[in-house]
Amino acid sequence: MEMVPQTMPLRFIPLGGSGEIGKNLYVYEYGDDIVVVDCGLTFPDEEMFGVDVVIPDITYLLGKADSVRGIVLTHGHEDHIGALPWILKQLNVPVWGTRFALGLVRRKMADHPHLADCELNEIDPDRDLTLGQFKVSFYRVTHSILDAVGLIIDCPAGRAIHSGDFKFEHTPLAGPSTDIQKIALAGRSGVLALMTEVTNSGDPGWVPSETNVSRTLHELMSTAQGKVVVSSFATNIARIREVFHLSVEHGRKICLIGRSMRENVEVAHDLGFLNYPEGEWFVDIDDVASVEDGMVTILATGSQGERTSALSVLSAGSYRKLKLGPGDLVIISADPIPGNERPFYRMVNRLCRLGVEVVLNDEAQVHVSGHANVEELKLLLSLTRPRFVVPIHGEFRHIARYKKLALAMGWPGEDIFTLGAGDVLELSSSGARLAGKVPAGRVLVDGLGDIGKAVLRDRRHLSEEGVVVVVVNVDVQSGELVGRPDVVARGVVSNEDAEPFAEAVRKVVCSAIEDAEISGPDELESARAAIQSAVKRVILDRTGRHPMIIPAITLL
Amino acid sequence: MEMVPQTMPLRFIPLGGSGEIGKNLYVYEYGDDIVVVDCGLTFPDEEMFGVDVVIPDITYLLGKADSVRGIVLTHGHEDHIGALPWILKQLNVPVWGTRFALGLVRRKMADHPHLADCELNEIDPDRDLTLGQFKVSFYRVTHSILDAVGLIIDCPAGRAIHSGDFKFEHTPLAGPSTDIQKIALAGRSGVLALMTEVTNSGDPGWVPSETNVSRTLHELMSTAQGKVVVSSFATNIARIREVFHLSVEHGRKICLIGRSMRENVEVAHDLGFLNYPEGEWFVDIDDVASVEDGMVTILATGSQGERTSALSVLSAGSYRKLKLGPGDLVIISADPIPGNERPFYRMVNRLCRLGVEVVLNDEAQVHVSGHANVEELKLLLSLTRPRFVVPIHGEFRHIARYKKLALAMGWPGEDIFTLGAGDVLELSSSGARLAGKVPAGRVLVDGLGDIGKAVLRDRRHLSEEGVVVVVVNVDVQSGELVGRPDVVARGVVSNEDAEPFAEAVRKVVCSAIEDAEISGPDELESARAAIQSAVKRVILDRTGRHPMIIPAITLL
């Protein structure tokens, strides 16, 4: 009898994100080999009180640490590399990325020195990488950051294509266009699955060309009389380079403000992505006042209105040496990130208030997206013709729209998979199936460690209603109060009401203690409950609020 | 010598909103007569922890209570009538409004019984109203609510036109079009100032007609197989009426869900704005399961994703008797309110996850705005040709764009005024000028009363870092601790870390008390500070956090 070799399936598992949509970190597993793709973070939403960053839960990887051959990065945006400092601390495996992506990772060493002990390997997109039984090939893509790649991931079970973030752009401002030929070749030899980003699946047509933005910026600079401020993402070196060129063309010196703008420009320059005549064209913020208004371009971080960012500080008029006013022009070369409209427009309003002319992307094309629109998503499907389609890296509404598009192109619904964090998708030539769930999801990082749900629940309560602390001392012999109860309220009443408020609380606490007849530790719990409910009632009557009430009873 | 009669100026003052942009309540003052226009509220932003509503500060009116002739409402939206329950409690003056606006005010009596004692007068838009030396005339306008009006306000100093919220719509689904002739006539006799809303000054062209929405809804219902859910603002009776008609046409019964949807439909019906064959066409949510899926339209509140609204509850699958799934269609007949994108799309994502087909306004025209676009704002300027222009009721960025538009139409910059809350604009035939500031702005209402800045600051701190209470008893004779310190933390550490955390805090508290050598109340303050700083340090080292620390020291 001949032995038929058992083909193992390729296992694909997103570990970050939510149970609904997995994202930020993807596991490709074949037998004893695991390749991790990307290692990103997200920023907390408004319900995550006090949380600094949200990173993927890698419990699953820690249990198979010996199998992890490394982490391959598609590009250097924070939602693809930002969790590395935390993840590498728990699982120190080699990291592969393009030159610019690694440049941005290395920049994190200042805040996370332990990264210096990690193995960071630069990839050459024209050379394949062997990681255990996986072969990873790369194709260059255009995105809103330089040096981004898509991945062709081969293993004995078949080929997966992992799009990373991408768009098709025939005339990028810098860097190569997406390598359509290489994708087509990879597709022609048969693709088991396409893991594709779907961020812009609700946007029809093609993303307009970057050259439109260049043209608009040129026109705006041609007529500008005063200072010109351009704000864009600090990682968008192609856009920044264009602003450099246009400024030089219009005889304007360049002033960089915002830490990440200065650092990224330095990284890009050091790595050869950005050439400029040293010194000559730059002016420091401390000297910007000495340059004529019409002779300077200010490149600023803060296109999203982040509280402490450069443009936000400018809009508040808080730079001592750089003030904006009538005659100056602020170009926000970015769209508000969905969900971030409030701080974005709050900053725009402040700029308008200064009398500055503000140009947003809805008025003139000063920005284009870095993500593929509907027709580009279709093109990728046609180029790759995968057996199975796995939309990743979008919200559920984007996935729903993408699914419609793939159905219209002929893929049957059962060949399109939506994965939540921890969902295991097994893929092989004989089919694809969901094969259970592994631990995964969001880890909320606050200060030095992660925090749990109970802590967040308490913070929400505190944030909405405040806290009242009641301190009482009881003589265990007589069951009577010693001294008067101490009442401390925070976030409940204003200073002028504080004393009458405390007096009212004290009164009900005194009667509650009297009624409790405490004669030992056994009655403590019920006395606490009695104080809780009496104080709760009097505060609700007085203020209509439900603060957190913390009674502290000491028996003497 | 002849006496030249001194002409007094008309004073215009917004009292709500911020120091940057006044809104929600407007004062027209001439001599001893004050007419108030609108009395609206706004909802708290994400920084106003625990605040329920935000109302205008009427300190100025309370100081001139005898002069206030009444409050005139332009229409029944919450940002124009919502503050009445609070304001009338402080200043019980007559209110004038159209039938539907007053119907919505009366609906508030259930929650605010004292409104029953207030004087609510229905206006007839064809008849003028005399209030002291003011004559107020009305012209009908189209808006996203029925029975809306603009105001022509005459006094000896001249004529002001107060646009209210409006658009020009030649084919409204219900109610009359904006009365262009009456505006033109009022304009022809000379207008001192135009107070105009500018919400959509960033939107080019004209607002598309409501009939487009009707056509799209018709097409969607024609092909829908399962349940159809339409969500729109509960005040948009014209839209609701259209959904009724289309449902009847397609043989669908109507199920209303959400308190305000049911109540507003009732108000509109009782007042004659909405005719329907009683009973027959309606189905209660409890019986909706008995109706075939293809035979029912559900009209739901919650188009903004408000946490407890009907559509939000539906998206969470939490109605026992009404579940949505594949084959069902949800039409969100509204745009997300700027700044509200997060909850809006969060709900959309949940609906997509149920497998429901979701149609938003970016995919098919299922909504049009109620506010005038750029060309309509220009038309109003041409119809009224005011001497002075006062853009109101928009964000600063809207005002900046409007100003550009008015400049392009020939108004000099110095004749266009932007007012913050409390700014007094004096207008007369001899000119206009800013004449100081009166107390005004936002009052934050939480529970039963207003709250101050210090309370909000504490809540923000609590929300981000939590609170630690340290209770110690000290023997004043020996300066030594009695018993062990009690440590209560909320929103700081998870339950499993609570005990080691408390132990670490106790340790530093004990040494702090020892070092303090307390021998009487005089050392209390410094002991408190010592505990604060010791506890702060140990918590920062352990957790990287900065909770609020409340030390309570009792001397025995």
Side-chain angles (χ1 to χ4, degrees):
Chain A
M1 217 176 99
E2 227 179 53
M3 289 290 287
V4 181
Q6 290 286 321
T7 324
M8 283 180 297
L10 166 65
R11 286 156 60 90
F12 176 72
I13 320 166
L15 288 189
S18 69
E20 299 187 9
I21 303 276
K23 60 179 184 176
N24 298 123
L25 186 152
Y26 304 93
V27 171
Y28 286 86
E29 183 175 11
Y30 181 78
D32 285 335
D33 294 304
I34 286 177
V35 169
V36 174
V37 174
D38 287 342
C39 185
L41 58 72
T42 53
F43 293 98
D45 68 31
E46 75 280 15
E47 316 254 291
M48 299 180 186
F49 295 109
V51 171
D52 297 320
V53 297
V54 181
I55 62 171
D57 178 347
I58 58 159
T59 306
Y60 180 71
L61 291 178
L62 293 176
K64 296 198 168 194
D66 290 342
S67 300
V68 183
R69 305 287 158 245
I71 300 172
V72 180
L73 307 174
T74 57
H75 62 286
H77 277 148
E78 282 295 300
D79 54 342
H80 296 259
I81 69 166
L84 280 172
W86 287 273
I87 302 301
L88 291 179
K89 203 181 251 175
Q90 303 170 65
L91 184 74
N92 192 352
V93 294
V95 176
W96 277 271
T98 59
R99 180 176 297 187
F100 190 59
L102 292 188
L104 294 177
V105 173
R106 285 202 187 90
R107 189 163 84 80
K108 296 179 182 294
M109 285 183 193
D111 295 329
H112 304 276
H114 68 90
L115 284 178
D117 304 326
C118 299
E119 186 188 330
L120 304 179
N121 305 301
E122 187 179 322
I123 57 152
D124 170 354
D126 294 325
R127 296 183 61 165
D128 304 342
L129 188 63
T130 301
L131 294 169
Q133 295 188 78
F134 282 101
K135 190 189 78 179
V136 181
S137 318
F138 305 91
Y139 59 91
R140 295 177 182 280
V141 299
T142 314
H143 183 42
S144 44
I145 190 169
L146 288 176
D147 229 14
V149 291
L151 311 178
I152 301 159
I153 300 172
D154 290 312
C155 71
R159 165 171 289 175
I161 293 191
H162 189 103
S163 77
D165 293 354
F166 77 102
K167 62 176 173 177
F168 290 102
E169 157 73 88
H170 300 298
T171 51
L173 292 181
S177 296
T178 295
D179 190 343
I180 302 189
Q181 291 177 339
K182 194 160 180 181
I183 303 172
L185 277 171
R188 198 64 177 179
S189 355
V191 173
L192 187 59
L194 171 67
M195 284 65 173
T196 176
E197 71 124 325
V198 296
T199 317
N200 281 6
S201 61
D203 296 283
W206 282 65
V207 177
S209 168
E210 292 275 351
T211 54
N212 296 5
V213 176
S214 172
R215 204 155 38 230
T216 315
L217 293 177
H218 175 72
E219 281 163 20
L220 289 169
M221 281 206 199
S222 303
T223 54
Q225 302 291 318
K227 293 187 275 286
V228 172
V229 180
V230 181
S231 187
S232 75
F233 288 107
T235 45
N236 197 335
I237 297 297
R239 189 81 46 86
I240 291 167
R241 206 179 76 153
E242 197 63 14
V243 174
F244 278 16
H245 290 172
L246 290 168
S247 296
V248 171
E249 197 180 322
H250 290 90
R252 286 176 178 266
K253 291 207 172 200
I254 297 150
C255 175
L256 302 175
I257 58 174
R259 175 183 167 186
S260 61
M261 185 63 78
R262 285 193 311 272
E263 288 185 355
N264 288 4
V265 163
E266 198 181 312
V267 169
H269 178 256
D270 291 349
L271 300 179
F273 291 101
L274 193 57
N275 296 314
Y276 48 75
E278 297 271 353
E280 187 175 357
W281 282 104
F282 287 93
V283 53
D284 194 83
I285 185 165
D286 291 332
D287 307 319
V288 78
S290 69
V291 184
E292 226 178 287
D293 279 358
M295 304 294 276
V296 66
T297 301
I298 294 133
L299 254 164
T301 55
S303 62
Q304 294 303 309
E306 306 93 321
R307 200 177 279 272
T308 56
S309 67
L311 190 58
S312 207
V313 173
L314 267 180
S315 76
S318 306
Y319 275 111
R320 204 161 48 83
K321 303 205 172 155
L322 177 56
K323 303 280 181 195
L324 300 180
D328 295 329
L329 173 68
V330 173
I331 302 167
I332 303 190
S333 183
D335 282 324
I337 291 175
N340 195 50
E341 288 80 359
R342 275 192 191 209
F344 180 89
Y345 288 115
R346 198 181 290 141
M347 178 178 69
V348 171
N349 285 333
R350 280 203 308 262
L351 287 167
C352 289
R353 196 158 186 244
L354 295 175
V356 169
E357 164 98 14
V358 183
V359 177
L360 305 183
N361 197 34
D362 67 340
E363 211 181 353
Q365 190 146 56
V366 291
H367 174 67
V368 292
S369 172
H371 297 278
N373 277 10
V374 166
E375 296 306 319
E376 292 162 271
L377 293 170
K378 288 185 195 162
L379 179 58
L380 185 64
L381 273 172
S382 289
L383 285 167
T384 53
R385 286 272 149 211
R387 173 120 180 244
F388 303 105
V389 184
V390 189
I392 55 174
H393 202 69
E395 297 174 31
F396 221 95
R397 60 195 171 103
H398 303 130
I399 291 196
R401 292 228 177 141
Y402 183 84
K403 205 167 168 177
K404 267 200 222 175
L405 165 168
L407 287 170
M409 283 180 74
W411 274 267
E414 63 267 27
D415 289 349
I416 307 168
F417 291 89
T418 306
L419 305 183
D423 282 341
V424 180
L425 179 64
E426 288 192 348
L427 300 145
S428 71
S429 56
S430 58
R433 66 183 192 102
L434 285 170
K437 228 177 164 69
V438 303
R442 298 185 177 112
V443 175
L444 311 183
V445 179
D446 166 22
L448 306 182
D450 60 307
I451 62 174
K453 274 195 180 168
V455 169
L456 279 188
R457 206 165 40 234
D458 280 347
R459 286 186 185 173
R460 167 189 269 279
H461 185 177
L462 290 166
S463 78
E464 291 179 349
E465 310 280 351
V467 60
V468 175
V469 180
V470 179
V471 182
V472 284
N473 292 291
V474 178
D475 181 336
V476 79
Q477 306 299 331
S478 63
E480 277 171 19
L481 270 172
V482 180
R484 64 173 202 171
D486 204 0
V487 176
V488 182
R490 290 284 185 275
V492 183
V493 286
S494 57
N495 286 340
E496 54 264 41
D497 295 338
E499 198 31 51
F501 173 86
E503 198 46 51
V505 172
R506 261 183 227 117
K507 221 174 113 192
V508 300
V509 169
C510 291
S511 12
I513 290 293
E514 221 166 87
D515 296 348
E517 297 182 3
I518 301 174
S519 62
D522 289 352
E523 285 100 17
L524 258 186
E525 208 36 63
S526 65
R528 252 189 222 114
I531 290 180
Q532 283 260 10
S533 97
V535 172
K536 188 175 166 181
R537 209 173 321 117
V538 71
I539 293 177
L540 184 63
D541 286 350
R542 264 187 95 87
T543 68
R545 291 165 203 164
H546 304 83
M548 182 182 283
I549 296 159
I550 304 180
I553 309 178
T554 310
L555 299 184
L556 301 172
Chain B
M1 216 177 100
E2 229 181 53
M3 290 288 288
V4 182
Q6 292 284 324
T7 325
M8 282 182 297
L10 166 65
R11 286 157 59 90
F12 175 73
I13 319 167
L15 288 189
S18 68
E20 300 188 8
I21 303 278
K23 59 179 186 177
N24 298 123
L25 187 152
Y26 304 94
V27 171
Y28 286 86
E29 182 174 11
Y30 181 79
D32 285 336
D33 294 304
I34 286 176
V35 169
V36 174
V37 174
D38 288 341
C39 186
L41 57 72
T42 52
F43 293 98
D45 68 31
E46 75 280 13
E47 314 254 291
M48 298 180 185
F49 295 109
V51 171
D52 297 322
V53 297
V54 181
I55 63 170
D57 177 347
I58 59 159
T59 306
Y60 179 73
L61 292 177
L62 294 176
K64 297 197 167 193
D66 290 342
S67 300
V68 183
R69 306 288 158 245
I71 300 172
V72 181
L73 307 174
T74 58
H75 63 284
H77 278 148
E78 283 294 298
D79 53 343
H80 296 258
I81 68 166
L84 280 172
W86 288 272
I87 301 300
L88 291 178
K89 203 179 251 176
Q90 301 170 68
L91 183 74
N92 193 351
V93 294
V95 176
W96 278 271
T98 59
R99 180 176 297 185
F100 191 59
L102 291 188
L104 293 177
V105 174
R106 286 203 185 89
R107 187 163 85 78
K108 296 178 183 295
M109 286 183 192
D111 296 328
H112 304 275
H114 69 91
L115 283 178
D117 303 326
C118 299
E119 186 187 330
L120 304 178
N121 305 300
E122 187 178 321
I123 57 151
D124 171 354
D126 296 325
R127 297 184 59 167
D128 304 341
L129 187 65
T130 301
L131 295 167
Q133 296 188 78
F134 283 101
K135 188 188 80 179
V136 181
S137 317
F138 305 89
Y139 59 91
R140 295 177 184 280
V141 298
T142 314
H143 183 43
S144 45
I145 190 168
L146 289 176
D147 230 14
V149 291
L151 311 178
I152 301 158
I153 301 171
D154 290 313
C155 71
R159 166 171 290 176
I161 293 192
H162 189 104
S163 76
D165 293 353
F166 77 101
K167 62 177 174 178
F168 291 102
E169 157 73 88
H170 300 297
T171 52
L173 292 180
S177 297
T178 296
D179 191 343
I180 301 188
Q181 291 177 338
K182 195 161 180 180
I183 302 172
L185 276 172
R188 199 64 177 177
S189 355
V191 173
L192 186 59
L194 170 67
M195 284 67 172
T196 176
E197 73 125 323
V198 296
T199 317
N200 282 5
S201 62
D203 296 284
W206 283 64
V207 177
S209 169
E210 292 274 351
T211 54
N212 296 4
V213 176
S214 172
R215 203 155 39 230
T216 315
L217 293 177
H218 174 73
E219 280 164 22
L220 289 169
M221 281 205 198
S222 303
T223 52
Q225 302 291 318
K227 294 188 273 290
V228 172
V229 180
V230 181
S231 187
S232 76
F233 288 106
T235 45
N236 196 336
I237 298 297
R239 188 82 46 86
I240 291 166
R241 206 180 75 154
E242 196 64 15
V243 174
F244 279 17
H245 289 173
L246 290 168
S247 297
V248 171
E249 197 181 322
H250 289 91
R252 286 175 179 267
K253 291 209 171 200
I254 295 148
C255 175
L256 302 174
I257 58 174
R259 175 184 166 188
S260 62
M261 183 64 77
R262 287 194 309 273
E263 288 186 358
N264 287 4
V265 163
E266 198 180 313
V267 169
H269 178 255
D270 291 349
L271 299 179
F273 291 102
L274 193 58
N275 296 314
Y276 48 75
E278 297 270 353
E280 185 174 359
W281 282 103
F282 287 93
V283 55
D284 194 84
I285 186 166
D286 291 332
D287 306 318
V288 78
S290 69
V291 185
E292 225 178 287
D293 277 357
M295 306 293 278
V296 66
T297 301
I298 294 131
L299 252 164
T301 55
S303 62
Q304 293 302 310
E306 306 93 322
R307 200 176 279 273
T308 56
S309 67
L311 189 58
S312 206
V313 174
L314 266 179
S315 75
S318 307
Y319 275 111
R320 203 161 48 83
K321 302 205 172 156
L322 177 56
K323 302 280 181 195
L324 301 181
D328 295 330
L329 173 68
V330 173
I331 301 166
I332 302 189
S333 184
D335 283 323
I337 292 175
N340 194 51
E341 288 82 359
R342 275 192 191 208
F344 180 89
Y345 287 115
R346 199 181 289 141
M347 178 178 70
V348 171
N349 284 333
R350 281 203 308 261
L351 287 166
C352 288
R353 196 160 186 240
L354 294 175
V356 169
E357 165 99 11
V358 182
V359 177
L360 305 184
N361 196 35
D362 67 340
E363 210 181 354
Q365 190 145 57
V366 292
H367 175 67
V368 292
S369 172
H371 297 278
N373 278 9
V374 165
E375 296 306 320
E376 292 161 272
L377 292 171
K378 289 186 194 163
L379 179 58
L380 185 64
L381 271 173
S382 287
L383 286 167
T384 53
R385 286 270 148 211
R387 171 120 180 246
F388 303 106
V389 184
V390 189
I392 56 174
H393 202 68
E395 298 174 30
F396 222 95
R397 60 194 171 105
H398 303 130
I399 293 198
R401 291 227 177 144
Y402 183 84
K403 205 167 168 178
K404 267 200 223 176
L405 164 170
L407 287 171
M409 284 180 72
W411 272 266
E414 62 268 26
D415 288 350
I416 308 169
F417 291 89
T418 306
L419 304 183
D423 281 341
V424 179
L425 179 64
E426 289 192 350
L427 300 145
S428 73
S429 56
S430 58
R433 65 180 193 107
L434 285 170
K437 229 178 163 72
V438 303
R442 299 183 176 114
V443 175
L444 311 183
V445 180
D446 165 22
L448 305 184
D450 60 306
I451 62 175
K453 275 197 178 163
V455 170
L456 280 187
R457 205 167 40 234
D458 281 347
R459 286 186 185 172
R460 165 189 271 278
H461 185 177
L462 290 165
S463 78
E464 291 179 350
E465 310 280 351
V467 61
V468 175
V469 181
V470 179
V471 182
V472 284
N473 291 290
V474 178
D475 182 335
V476 79
Q477 306 298 331
S478 64
E480 276 172 19
L481 270 172
V482 180
R484 64 174 202 169
D486 204 0
V487 175
V488 183
R490 291 282 185 278
V492 183
V493 286
S494 58
N495 286 339
E496 54 266 40
D497 295 337
E499 198 29 52
F501 173 85
E503 197 45 50
V505 172
R506 259 183 229 116
K507 221 175 114 193
V508 300
V509 169
C510 291
S511 11
I513 290 294
E514 221 166 87
D515 295 348
E517 298 183 3
I518 301 174
S519 62
D522 288 352
E523 285 98 19
L524 259 186
E525 209 35 64
S526 65
R528 250 188 224 116
I531 290 180
Q532 284 259 13
S533 97
V535 171
K536 191 176 163 181
R537 208 171 323 116
V538 70
I539 294 177
L540 183 63
D541 286 350
R542 266 187 92 88
T543 67
R545 288 165 207 166
H546 305 82
M548 183 182 284
I549 296 160
I550 305 180
I553 310 178
T554 311
L555 299 183
L556 300 171

